[in-house]
C-alpha cells in the first residue's frame, strides 16, 4: 500500500505561514499529507488514535474519486430520499390550507400561525438534546427512529377535529423532527472532507426543492380525494404523507451504515467498500481533520456545549442563518395563499409554485458547487443574498396595479433565491468548528436559529397588508441587507484571527510546538494551529 503514490502536492517547510497570511486555508494546519514536514509526527500521533488510520497509506486521485462517488450514490442518495419525505411532511400544511382546513377545524389564520409557533418551540427545545443522543447512539439508528416517529405523528393528523388537536399534533411533529438536519450534517462529515461538504449539503437540501415541487403535484391529486371514505382532502394528504414517511424510516434502519468501515449487512448486503477503500476513507478524513480520529460514541461533554454557546466565531454564522432565512418562511409558506388571493384557483396555486422550487434547486447547486470549487464561503453567501434582496425589493416596488402575472414572475424568482446559500453556511460552520462535540452543538444551534425564523417570519405578513404584503417585503429586505453585512464581517473577522495566530507562531520551532502541545488547554478550533476558512 505504502509504495503507491498519493497524488497530493506537498508544502515546503515555511510555506504554511505564508499561505495563512496571504490567502488563508480551508483546513487546520494538521490537515494531512499535503502539510507534512514539522506536522508529520503530530498527525501520526493524532491519527493513530483511530485503529483504521494508516499514516503510511498512499493512494491515487482516481481511487479517491471512486471512493467519493460510492458515498454519493450509496449514502448521500438515500439521505436525499429521507430528506425528501421530511420536507413533504413539513410543507403539507401550506398545501392543506388551500383545501379548507381552517373551515373544517373552525380555526382562523391566527391559529395556523400559533401552530407554526408551537412547532418551532418544541423543535428548538429538543434540538440540542436530540443531537446529544445522536452522538451517543449513532445517527444510523437515531435518525431512522426519529423519522418513524414524525411520520406517525403526521399521519395522526387525520384525526384532527379542532384547535386543540391541531396544536397538539404540531407539537409532536416538531418534537420528533428535532435533531434530524444537524444529525445528518454530522453524519455526512464521517464520509466527506471539509472541501466536499458544501456541494453535498446542497444535494441534501436540494431535495427540499424537489419535494416542494412534487408536493404541489401530489397535493393537487390528493386533495381531489375529498369525500373518499368520508375524509377531507387535507386529511388524505396528511395520512398518505405520514405513512409513506414512516415506511421510509423503517427501511432506513436497514440501509444507513454506521460509517465507512461498517457498510456490510442488512440491505447493504456485502457492503460498499473493499478493505483498502475503508482504510483510505478513514485516513483521508483524519488527514483533513484530525479531530475525526476520535470515533468513540459518547455523550457530548458539557465543556463542548459551553464552548459552542460562548464562541464569538460561531455566532456570526448563527445570525446569518436567522436574518438570511427570515424571508423564507413567509414567502414559501404563504406563496400558495398569495397566489390564491391574486385570483388563481386554490388547486392551481399549489402547482404554480413548482417553478420557484426548481429554480431554487438550480441556484443552490450552482452556488454550492462554486463555493467548494473555489474554496470560498463568504463572498458566495453575500452575492447569493444580494440576488435574494433584489428579488424581494422587486416584489415591494411593483406598482399596486401590476398584473397578477408580473407579480407571479417576481414571486417565482424570489422563491428561487430563498435557500441558495444555506448549504454553504452550514458547511462553513462544520469546517470551522472542532472537536466533534462542539461541532455537533454548533450545527444544532444553527438549525435552531434557522427554525426560529418561522416564528418571526409568520408574523411579518399581516392580514391588513394582503395580498401584496408590501410592508412585510421591506422588513424582509432589511433582514437580507443585515445578512450581507454579516457575511462580509465574518470573512474579515476570521482572516484577522488567522493572521494573529500566524504572527504569534511564525518563529516557533518544533520544540516550541511540543511545549505548546504539552502545556496548552486549547482544544479544537481554539488551538493556535487551527486555520479558519472564509
Amino acid at each position: 500500500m505504502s509504495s503507491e503514490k498519493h497524488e497530493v502536492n506537498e508544502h515546503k517547510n515555511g510555506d504554511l505561514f505564508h499561505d495563512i497570511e496571504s490567502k488563508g486555508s480551508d483546513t487546520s494546519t494538521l490537515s494531512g499529507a499535503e502539510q507534512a514536514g514539522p506536522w508529520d509526527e503530530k498527525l501520526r500521533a493524532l491519527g493513530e488514535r483511530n485503529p483504521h488510520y494508516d499514516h503510511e497509506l498512499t493512494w491515487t486521485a482516481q481511487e479517491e474519486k471512486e471512493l467519493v462517488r460510492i458515498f454519493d450514490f450509496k449514502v448521500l442518495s438515500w439521505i436525499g430520499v429521507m430528506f425528501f419525505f421530511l420536507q413533504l411532511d413539513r410543507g403539507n400544511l401550506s398545501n392543506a390550507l388551500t383545501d379548507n382546513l381552517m373551515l373544517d377545524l373552525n380555526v382562523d389564520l391566527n391559529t395556523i400561525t400559533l401552530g407554526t409557533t408551537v412547532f418551532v418551540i418544541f423543535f428548538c427545545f429538543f434540538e440540542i438534546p436530540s443531537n446529544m443522543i445522536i452522538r451517543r447512539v449513532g445517527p444510523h439508528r437515531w435518525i431512522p427512529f426519529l423519522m418513524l416517529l414524525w411520520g406517525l405523528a403526521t399521519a395522526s393528523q387525520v384525526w384532527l377535529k379542532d384547535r386543540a388537536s391541531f396544536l397538539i399534533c404540531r407539537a409532536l411533529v416538531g418534537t420528533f423532527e428535532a435533531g434530524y438536519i444537524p444529525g445528518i450534517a454530522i453524519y455526512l462529515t464521517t464520509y466527506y472532507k471539509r472541501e466536499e461538504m458544501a456541494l453535498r449539503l446542497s444535494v441534501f437540501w436540494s431535495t427540499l426543492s424537489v419535494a416542494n415541487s412534487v408536493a404541489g403535484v401530489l397535493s393537487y391529486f390528493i386533495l381531489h380525494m375529498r369525500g373518499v371514505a368520508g375524509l377531507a382532502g387535507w386529511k388524505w394528504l396528511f395520512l398518505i404523507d405520514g405513512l409513506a414517511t414512516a415506511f421510509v424510516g423503517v427501511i432506513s434502519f436497514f440501509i444507513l451504515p454506521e460509517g465507512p468501515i461498517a457498510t456490510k449487512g442488512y440491505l447493504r448486503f456485502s457492503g460498499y467498500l473493499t478493505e483498502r477503500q475503508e482504510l483510505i476513507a478513514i485516513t483521508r478524513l483524519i488527514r483533513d481533520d484530525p479531530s475525526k480520529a476520535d470515533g468513540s460514541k459518547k455523550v457530548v461533554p458539557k465543556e463542548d456545549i459551553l464552548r459552542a454557546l460562548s464562541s464569538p466565531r460561531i455566532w456570526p454564522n448563527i445570525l446569518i442563518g436567522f436574518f438570511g432565512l427570515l424571508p423564507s418562511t413567509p414567502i414559501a409558506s404563504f406563496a400558495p395563499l398569495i397566489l390564491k388571493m391574486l385570483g388563481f384557483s386554490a388547486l392551481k396555486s399549489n402547482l404554480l409554485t413548482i417553478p420557484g422550487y426548481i429554480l431554487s434547486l438550480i441556484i443552490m447547486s450552482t452556488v454550492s458547487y462554486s463555493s467548494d470549487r473555489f474554496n470560498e464561503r463568504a463572498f458566495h453567501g453575500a452575492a447569493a443574498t444580494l440576488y435574494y434582496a433584489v428579488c424581494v425589493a422587486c416584489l415591494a416596488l411593483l406598482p399596486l396595479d401590476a398584473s397578477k402575472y408580473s407579480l407571479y414572475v417576481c414571486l417565482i424568482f424570489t422563491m428561487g433565491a430563498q435557500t441558495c446559500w444555506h448549504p454553504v453556511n452550514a458547511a462553513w460552520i462544520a469546517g470551522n468548528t472542532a472537536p466533534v462535540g462542539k461541532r455537533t452543538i454548533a450545527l444544532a444551534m444553527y438549525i435552531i436559529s434557522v427554525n426560529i425564523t418561522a416564528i418571526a417570519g409568520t408574523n411579518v405578513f399581516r392580514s391588513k397588508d394582503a395580498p401584496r404584503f408590501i410592508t412585510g417585503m421591506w422588513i424582509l429586505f432589511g433582514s437580507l441587507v443585515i445578512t450581507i453585512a454579516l457575511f462580509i464581517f465574518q470573512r474579515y473577522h476570521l482572516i484577522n484571527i488567522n493572521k494573529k495566530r500566524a504572527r504569534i507562531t511564525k518563529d516557533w520551532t518544533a520544540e516550541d510546538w511540543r511545549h505548546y502541545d504539552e502545556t496548552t488547554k486549547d482544544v479544537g478550533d481554539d488551538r493556535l494551529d487551527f486555520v479558519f476558512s472564509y
Side-chain angles (χ1 to χ4, degrees):
M1 294 181 184
S2 60
S3 62
E4 299 178 20
K5 292 184 178 180
H6 183 191
E7 297 180 1
V8 173
N9 293 325
E10 296 185 357
H11 286 293
K12 294 180 180 179
N13 292 341
D15 285 349
L16 177 61
F17 296 110
H18 170 73
D19 288 345
I20 295 174
E21 291 283 359
S22 62
K23 62 182 177 58
S25 170
D26 66 322
T27 61
S28 159
T29 56
L30 304 179
S31 324
E34 69 271 28
Q35 295 180 1
W39 311 109
D40 189 64
E41 290 307 312
K42 183 183 293 186
L43 177 62
R44 179 192 296 273
L46 290 169
E48 289 179 352
R49 295 175 184 175
N50 189 303
H52 301 281
Y53 175 79
D54 186 343
H55 191 71
E56 306 302 329
L57 182 66
T58 58
W59 59 88
T60 66
Q62 184 59 36
E63 282 183 296
E64 188 165 11
K65 288 180 181 178
E66 290 175 0
L67 181 67
V68 173
R69 192 176 300 117
I70 290 172
F71 292 153
D72 288 343
F73 284 99
K74 300 289 189 178
V75 178
L76 184 63
S77 61
W78 188 253
I79 292 297
V81 171
M82 297 173 72
F83 192 61
F84 174 88
F85 283 91
L86 169 71
Q87 194 55 36
L88 279 186
D89 290 344
R90 280 193 167 186
N92 55 19
L93 179 58
S94 62
N95 298 125
L97 289 175
T98 63
D99 188 51
N100 299 323
L101 176 143
M102 291 188 292
L103 182 63
D104 292 345
L105 296 181
N106 193 28
V107 299
D108 57 16
L109 190 57
N110 291 331
T111 299
I112 302 300
T113 300
L114 178 60
T116 300
T117 302
V118 168
F119 170 90
V120 172
I121 289 173
F122 278 80
F123 181 95
C124 293
F125 183 81
F126 287 100
E127 186 76 28
I128 290 179
S130 182
N131 274 270
M132 294 174 71
I133 295 174
I134 284 177
R135 181 87 169 99
R136 179 66 176 176
V137 305
H140 66 296
R141 294 192 184 99
W142 186 243
I143 291 172
F145 180 65
L146 289 178
M147 194 170 186
L148 171 63
L149 292 181
W150 90 61
L152 294 176
T154 298
S156 71
Q157 292 176 108
V158 71
W159 290 294
L160 293 183
K161 296 183 181 296
D162 51 25
R163 183 175 186 268
S165 58
F166 170 73
L167 294 177
I168 290 172
C169 281
R170 299 316 295 168
L172 289 174
V173 174
T175 299
F176 297 139
E177 287 188 4
Y180 174 79
I181 295 178
I184 286 294
I186 288 296
Y187 182 63
L188 290 177
T189 63
T190 64
Y191 294 92
Y192 296 103
K193 291 158 53 174
R194 283 175 288 182
E195 64 190 31
E196 299 163 347
M197 280 295 293
L199 181 59
R200 270 70 196 184
L201 286 174
S202 78
V203 172
F204 169 57
W205 267 300
S206 68
T207 55
L208 181 152
S209 301
V210 176
N212 286 328
S213 301
V214 173
V217 177
L218 288 177
S219 65
Y220 179 83
F221 292 104
I222 294 175
L223 294 179
H224 273 97
M225 295 175 66
R226 172 174 278 270
V228 175
L231 297 178
W234 59 266
K235 289 190 174 185
W236 277 112
L237 184 63
F238 287 136
L239 181 63
I240 293 173
D241 284 356
L243 291 180
T245 298
F247 174 76
V248 172
V250 172
I251 296 296
S252 297
F253 277 109
F254 306 98
I255 291 181
L256 280 188
E258 182 177 356
I261 60 171
T263 62
K264 296 180 181 179
Y266 299 114
L267 295 179
R268 301 181 299 275
F269 303 108
S270 60
Y272 303 153
L273 305 178
T274 65
E275 182 178 347
R276 173 173 170 77
Q277 286 175 325
E278 290 178 354
L279 292 175
I280 295 173
I282 296 299
T283 302
R284 80 186 197 104
L285 286 180
I286 294 174
R287 288 179 181 174
D288 175 63
D289 181 357
S291 69
K292 294 179 181 179
D294 182 8
S296 61
K297 295 178 182 178
K298 55 186 178 183
V299 175
V300 176
K302 65 179 181 180
E303 292 82 6
D304 283 351
I305 299 174
L306 294 176
R307 288 188 190 106
L309 292 173
S310 61
S311 174
R313 298 182 296 271
I314 293 175
W315 278 101
N317 291 101
I318 303 300
L319 294 175
I320 285 171
F322 177 80
F323 287 106
L325 292 178
L326 179 63
S328 298
T329 293
I331 290 175
S333 299
F334 287 91
L337 205 56
I338 292 172
L339 292 173
K340 186 178 178 181
M341 290 177 178
L342 289 174
F344 295 101
S345 69
L347 294 176
K348 285 184 177 179
S349 295
N350 288 316
L351 294 177
L352 287 171
T353 61
I354 292 176
Y357 294 118
I358 295 175
L359 182 60
S360 175
L361 168 63
I362 295 171
I363 295 175
M364 181 168 58
S365 299
T366 302
V367 171
S368 298
Y369 173 79
S370 179
S371 177
D372 275 353
R373 173 69 177 80
F374 294 101
N375 187 29
E376 200 285 328
R377 305 301 190 202
F379 286 151
H380 280 79
T385 306
L386 178 61
Y387 164 70
Y388 196 3
V390 169
C391 291
V392 171
C394 288
L395 281 174
L397 290 172
L398 278 175
L400 292 175
D401 59 351
S403 71
K404 65 180 182 181
Y405 298 103
S406 299
L407 289 167
Y408 169 70
V409 170
C410 278
L411 181 62
I412 292 303
F413 276 98
T414 304
M415 291 176 67
Q418 58 189 347
T419 57
C420 55
W421 51 261
H422 190 19
V424 171
N425 197 36
W428 200 7
I429 294 172
N432 276 349
T433 311
V436 176
K438 183 178 179 181
R439 183 183 301 133
T440 300
I441 300 303
L443 286 169
M445 291 166 58
Y446 177 60
I447 298 302
I448 288 174
S449 75
V450 168
N451 282 274
I452 286 176
T453 62
I455 297 177
T458 52
N459 290 287
V460 171
F461 289 171
R462 311 303 296 176
S463 299
K464 64 180 181 180
D465 294 327
R468 290 288 303 277
F469 301 108
I470 292 177
T471 300
M473 292 297 178
W474 283 120
I475 293 173
L476 301 182
F477 176 81
S479 74
L480 294 174
V481 171
I482 293 173
T483 304
I484 294 172
L486 285 168
F487 269 116
I488 302 303
F489 166 81
Q490 182 69 333
R491 174 184 173 84
Y492 290 102
H493 176 214
L494 296 177
I495 287 175
N496 285 333
I497 293 174
N498 287 347
K499 288 183 176 180
K500 181 179 179 181
R501 291 181 176 183
R503 285 194 298 269
I504 292 172
T505 61
K506 182 168 62 173
D507 297 323
W508 281 17
T509 64
E511 183 61 33
D512 292 326
W513 279 110
R514 275 193 292 271
H515 177 72
Y516 175 73
D517 292 336
E518 293 169 358
T519 60
T520 185
K521 294 183 179 179
D522 297 338
V523 296
D525 57 70
D526 291 325
R527 288 179 56 90
L528 292 176
D529 49 13
F530 190 98
V531 183
F532 294 97
S533 65
Y534 47 81

